[in-house]
Amino acid sequence: MTTGIIYDPIYLEHRIGQHVESHERLIAIIEYLKEKQILDDPNFKLIKPRSATLEQIKYVHTEALINEIKEISKIADLTGKIQNLDMDTSVSAKTYDASLFSVGGNLEAIDRILNGDITNAFSIVRPPGHHSRKNRCSGFCIFNNIAITAEYLLREKEFKKVAIIDWDCHHGDGTQEIFYQGSSSEKGDVIFFSSHQDGRTLYPGSGFINEIGKGKGEGKIINYPMPPKAADDVLMIFFEEIIKPILFEFKPDFILISAGFDTHWTDRLTNMGWTYQAPALFLEKIMTIAKDIVKNRIAITLEGGYEIDKQAIAVYNCLRVLNNEKQKIIEEKPRTSDETLLNYINTKLIPNMRTKLSPYWNCF
Ligand SMILES: [Zn+2]
């Protein structure tokens, strides 16, 4: 099997000054992968992205938003000054181009998986995307990479069902909004799982268990708000109790993952308790069922992660797991959640989620 790594220096050109979502994040990942000699390993294939087309960006975004990003990038170019879309989200001269390639990297990954060139893929891209809505960019995100990729699978690749799993520490509010009433294409279905730090304690303040979708999307938006300090064990409970039974029932054709690494216990923007092996161990669980239900078709896209050394290790670990080499992952001392927190998850959060979702899923 071969794991694709999609990367290009164009992603460094979204250069937004002194910002936590810095180009240094990707430099650190690539340097670490070089150090670990993954890029020379024949089981991995470094793949160049392409630019997404405007038609593809319009699968989820308004033309007005696309034009706005293009215009603001032009202003940044003409003035030589970084422009701000909001308090968090900045645009440089090359942001528009980098954003098209950020989406296009994910689309290239899909094509390579489908033509058998690679088995699965990790797109190491930026700007990230999961906070971007139909008509508004926010939270360091420009175009919603994962949402466009899901629509690409439905509209251009004739798949009927796509599952998105978002493990970034922040709620994927943009992806949720885009699919709240299901796919706009009417060509198929999208299910969205988001695990994140409880919105009462972290940006963007949403992602509660009563947000379950509407119309065609009803029952297909599944939020798992974790209390601060939740460790790896809390994530694994989400998989066993909610994700696994629903995926077996939903039977997706493809699994897409919004992979943020800002859940690490040291991350400067968040308050979670995950180790840097947690995402890889979670991915391994996803892969065990992906074998049966999606013929191993998994594509991962990078979202957040602000402790760049920890993120680099976590990305490396995920690549090893994608390539069935769990024994090669790098682990730090395991962390567990305290008893009160675990008790809340097992006796309140999970039962409440199952009750809310039971009208839509036979497994509950
Ligand atoms: Zn995040």
Side-chain angles (χ1 to χ4, degrees), residues 77-196:
D77 188 24
L78 292 173
T79 60
K81 289 200 174 106
I82 294 161
Q83 305 292 305
N84 294 312
L85 288 172
D86 64 17
M87 272 168 56
D88 301 320
T89 315
S90 305
V91 167
S92 71
K94 286 278 168 60
T95 292
Y96 179 69
D97 293 340
S99 302
L100 292 175
F101 275 86
S102 191
V103 176
N106 286 281
L107 304 187
E108 183 66 25
I110 297 297
D111 288 1
R112 298 292 189 111
I113 291 171
L114 296 181
N115 73 18
D117 188 24
I118 55 175
T119 311
N120 49 35
F122 197 138
S123 298
I124 300 172
V125 302
R126 60 186 288 281
H130 75 148
H131 293 303
S132 281
R133 295 160 184 252
K134 288 173 191 167
N135 59 3
R136 181 162 60 88
C137 299
S138 60
F140 319 158
C141 296
I142 304 296
F143 298 139
N144 195 314
N145 303 315
I146 201 109
I148 298 166
T149 307
E151 285 293 345
Y152 178 70
L153 284 166
L154 299 177
R155 295 177 194 230
E156 296 188 39
K157 301 295 167 186
E158 310 297 329
F159 285 109
K160 296 282 176 239
K161 293 181 192 174
V162 177
I164 300 175
I165 299 173
D166 183 330
W167 73 53
D168 188 274
C169 199
H170 301 88
H171 176 227
D173 57 338
T175 312
Q176 170 169 307
E177 187 213 70
I178 288 164
F179 294 120
Y180 208 71
Q181 303 194 53
S183 161
S184 57
S185 70
E186 294 180 4
K187 285 209 165 178
D189 259 348
V190 175
I191 190 164
F192 178 58
F193 299 91
S194 180
S195 59
H196 43 267

Side-chain angles (χ1 to χ4, degrees), residues 197 226-231 234 271-274 335-338 341:
Q197 186 176 324
M226 300 173 288
K229 296 203 167 30
V234 167
N271 318 96
M272 294 298 286
W274 297 15
R335 297 175 65 87
T336 48
S337 309
D338 74 39
L341 197 156

